[in-house]
Amino acid sequence: MKLPKKVELIEVGPRDGLQNEANFIPTEKKIELINALNKTGIKRMEATSFVHPVYVPQMKDANEVLEGIEQDPSIQYMALIPNEKGYERAVENGVRALSLVVGASDSFNLKNVKITRDESINKFSSVVEKAKEMGNFLRYNIATAFWCPFEGKVDSELVLDMVRQIDRSGVDEIVICDTIGRANPAQVFDLFSRIFKEQPNALITAHFHDTYGLAQANIMAALQADVTRFDTSIGGLGGCPFAPGAAGNVATEDVVFMLNEMGIETGIDLASLLACVEMVKPLTNRELTGHFHKVKVFQNQI
């Protein structure tokens, strides 16, 4: 089995994980969570998003969160932005790492930002130019890269064409997202293998949801296709307000445990992650989808 020696995990719980919670989570609790995640060894995380509060009310306190957290200079804090106005707000608040999202599916993109995929890409071109001029880091998420909740299976050729176009624009990172958790390992291996064959120098990250319980199997398939960067969410928090049926992201602690067991380095402390899971539990009315925090016998060994 071909495995890397080291894998980077990007924590998306504070943004992607919390955004779908129905009850507003107090700003101080979000700040406490991020401050605790700072101490786990995680070096990159999505801290918040500058979206319109009407559409994602959970993120209406983005300014306050960024002002309140203990920003560690060794950690990259990212904010998701939906458009150029979001970019300006984020930069005004000191954010230097921005995250964009465009759906591979037109139907999803229309639900998400009210415009088509191609319209989104065109609108974001000015954001990409501004970010490059200012030296800001820009990650570009391709949502519904495998399946769409409205259109079904997404054509891999369409996704490959998007990757080519986005990579040419000069962004720093491209994230391939299984937004509704419907992908399977064979599909994952095929798409990522083709992406790396065509774009060998692109910084590629995988983002899996665990709707069908296939997220860790899909991570294994991605590892075989040379992916070494993955988005994960503490406790398995997550979902998407614009993708019906999407369950939580793959749990950070589950992935760290799996990689540790295989001798793959992450630089993340599992015991510290479990303390963060305990912080997350009171913040949601849903049962956390992560598995490792439930298995006490292994926890006693770390």
Side-chain angles (χ1 to χ4, degrees), residues 49 106 123 127 139 148 162 178 180 268 270:
S49 64
D106 265 340
K123 279 183 174 293
V127 172
R139 89 183 325 222
C148 168
M162 288 182 71
D178 181 23
I180 63 170
I268 298 173
L270 194 50

Side-chain angles (χ1 to χ4, degrees), residues 103 105-112 143-144 148-150 179 240 242-243:
S105 150
D106 265 340
S107 297
F108 173 83
N109 217 65
L110 286 164
K111 289 280 186 181
N112 193 15
T144 58
C148 168
F150 311 106
T179 307
C240 177
F242 310 103

